[in-house]
Amino acid sequence: MGISVEIHGRTLVVTICRPEARNAVNPETAKALHQAFLAFEADASVDVAILTGDGGTFCAGFDLKAAASGDGQDWIAEVEIPDGWDDALSQPIPGPMGPSRLMLSKPVIAAVEGYAVAGGIELAAWCDMRVAADTSTFGVFCRRWGVPLIDGGTVRLPRLLGQGRANDLILTGRPVAANEAHAMGLVDRVVPEAQALDAALELAESLSRYPQACMRADHLSARMSGPDLACALTREWQSYETFLQEGQHGASRFAAGKGRSGDFNDI
C-alpha cells in the first residue's frame, strides 16, 4: 500500500515506501497515509507521529505518472472538497497527498532525507516540526509542470516563512538546501545525513515526557482554527482548474522523461 507503520515507545513512525519513484505519492499511498494519521489521532497509546520516506528521499510529490493517467483523475474526483466543509478539525477529509487536510490534536514531525519537493514540501509543511539532513533539498518543483499547490502549500508556507520568503519558493520553484531552509524557518533542526529519523525519534520522545493535555491545548491554540483552515484550503483548491489547463500536459512531459533529478532546464 506504499507505506509502513511502526511504533517506537509512544511514537508512531509512518514511512512512505516507494523508493523506486522517490517516494512520490500515488492514489493508493495517499489513501494509506490518510488512514494512518486518522488512526494515529484515535490511538491513545501514542503521543507523537513521525512522517519520513524510505531509501534516502522524503517525498518527490504526487506521482505525475499517476496524475497523467486515469487513476490520478479518479483520485482527484474523490478528494473534491465537499459543499459545506467548514471545519478541518471536526470534519476530517483526505487531500490529494493524503493527510494534508487533517488538523490533528497531536504533533507530527517530518524526518527529511533527500528531496522534499512539490507535494513533498507540502507534506513537510503539514507536519508541525521538521528535522532535516544537511544534504536534503526542498522546493516547489511542480512549478516546472504547471501543477498547482493544492495540499496546503499556499496556506502553510506563508505562515511558516513569512509572505516574502514563501513567495520566493512558490513563484520560482527553486531548490533550497537544508541550511537555507533552516535559516528561513522551514526546517527546525539540521542533522548529518542519514540521521534525520534518529533525531526525530529523540525529539518525539522528549515531547512525550510532558503532560499531554496541556501541550495539545497549546498546540491547538497556536495554529489556525479549524474553520479558518477549511476556508483557506477550499480557496486553494480552486487552483486545481489550472491543472486541467496546464498540469496534465506538464505531467505527460515528466512521464516522458523531462526534468528528472530536479532539472529546471530540460522541461
Side-chain angles (χ1 to χ4, degrees):
M1 63 179 178
I3 70 168
S4 69
V5 177
E6 298 178 344
I7 293 179
H8 297 253
R10 296 191 64 83
T11 300
L12 181 76
V13 178
V14 179
T15 304
I16 303 172
C17 299
R18 301 190 73 228
E20 74 285 355
R22 295 199 176 185
N23 295 326
V25 170
N26 62 2
E28 181 183 20
T29 304
K31 294 175 187 177
L33 286 170
H34 180 247
Q35 290 301 316
F37 282 103
L38 282 179
F40 161 66
E41 178 74 356
D43 188 349
S45 72
V46 285
D47 300 323
V48 183
I50 293 171
L51 176 60
T52 193
D54 188 24
T57 295
F58 180 72
C59 176
F62 193 79
D63 189 333
L64 290 184
K65 292 182 180 179
S69 71
D71 287 346
Q73 296 307 303
D74 290 344
W75 173 235
I76 289 297
E78 286 188 47
V79 298
E80 179 74 37
I81 292 179
D83 292 341
W85 186 59
D86 59 8
D87 191 339
L89 182 61
S90 65
Q91 300 167 338
I93 63 172
M97 293 288 291
S100 54
R101 292 173 182 159
L102 296 179
M103 185 174 183
L104 306 181
S105 67
K106 297 187 281 189
V108 181
I109 302 168
V112 179
E113 300 279 350
Y115 287 100
V117 296
I121 196 175
E122 292 187 282
L123 282 183
W126 171 74
C127 295
D128 302 295
M129 298 184 72
R130 285 149 293 280
V131 177
D134 56 11
T135 52
S136 60
T137 300
F138 298 80
V140 183
F141 281 14
C142 50
R143 179 61 54 237
R144 300 171 297 168
W145 310 117
V147 176
L149 295 172
I150 50 176
D151 279 274
T154 67
V155 176
R156 297 184 176 102
L157 288 174
R159 289 179 64 85
L160 287 170
L161 312 180
Q163 190 66 58
R165 284 174 170 165
N167 289 347
D168 183 3
L169 267 65
I170 292 169
L171 296 177
T172 71
R174 68 181 179 87
V176 175
N179 286 337
E180 183 182 1
H182 182 258
M184 66 172 55
L186 179 58
V187 167
D188 302 295
R189 314 275 173 91
V190 177
V191 298
E193 185 178 9
Q195 294 185 25
L197 179 56
D198 287 343
L201 281 165
E202 184 177 353
L203 175 59
E205 182 180 353
S206 75
L207 298 183
S208 292
R209 294 172 49 243
Y210 298 129
Q212 292 298 298
C214 177
M215 188 180 75
R216 292 174 195 172
D218 286 347
H219 178 47
L220 183 63
S221 181
R223 291 178 289 164
M224 296 176 73
S225 72
D228 286 343
L229 180 58
C231 180
L233 291 175
T234 299
R235 183 181 64 182
E236 180 188 68
W237 177 246
Q238 295 170 2
S239 298
Y240 176 67
E241 293 181 2
T242 67
F243 177 77
L244 301 177
Q245 299 165 11
E246 297 177 340
Q248 284 181 310
H249 180 56
S252 297
R253 296 201 308 277
F254 176 83
K258 297 291 185 180
R260 297 304 168 87
S261 300
D263 186 357
F264 272 68
N265 296 311
D266 184 24
I267 60 173

